[in-house]
Amino acid sequence: MPLPDPRTPAGRRALAGLLAVLAAVVAVAWYGWTSTAGQVLPNVTGYEVVSDELTRVGYDLARPEGTAVTCRVAALDAGKGRVGVVEDRVPAAGGATLHRVVEVRTSARAVTGVVESCTRVR
């Protein structure tokens, strides 16, 4: 496919459109990169309902290296009600990505475990 001829009006319009599309792709990529850089991202890797009173939740945590983080980990019942919650304080020491296993004491039998939120400690 030949390139548009910039000496004609149609060619100039085609090149302008191509440049506009390219600029939009660059802008979207830049926005995506800057809005996620340095975020704290938990990812639940599994859970184990040990008993009516205890659930273990495992998760991977991605964070900027050297950043202390507090994550709120919860156990939920069949109706998605919270039956237990614990704050997992992750010290700044350690790598940017690490695996955590948290024990959540529950008031009733849980059916799942989740990480509700993670925030940087200032």
Side-chain angles (χ1 to χ4, degrees):
M1 176 175 167
L3 291 175
D5 186 359
R7 294 175 292 189
T8 65
R12 286 191 290 273
R13 281 192 301 273
L15 284 175
L18 183 64
L19 289 174
V21 168
L22 182 61
V25 168
V26 168
V28 168
W30 176 82
Y31 175 76
W33 181 73
T34 58
S35 66
T36 60
Q39 279 191 332
V40 176
L41 300 171
N43 182 36
V44 175
T45 57
Y47 63 90
E48 176 188 7
V49 179
V50 178
S51 67
D52 289 350
E53 294 85 27
L54 180 67
T55 299
R56 282 192 193 101
V57 180
Y59 68 98
D60 291 333
L61 179 64
R63 64 184 177 160
E65 195 164 340
T67 302
V69 176
T70 299
C71 293
R72 180 181 295 267
V73 182
L76 307 178
D77 64 11
K80 297 184 182 174
R82 188 188 302 159
V83 292
V85 65
V86 66
E87 295 218 344
D88 183 27
R89 289 179 171 80
V90 183
T97 303
L98 44 109
H99 182 73
R100 306 282 290 179
V101 177
V102 179
E103 291 190 345
V104 181
R105 298 275 173 207
T106 58
S107 59
R109 187 163 191 86
V111 297
T112 191
V114 297
V115 178
E116 292 182 336
S117 66
C118 287
T119 56
R120 295 177 190 216
V121 176
R122 303 200 186 262

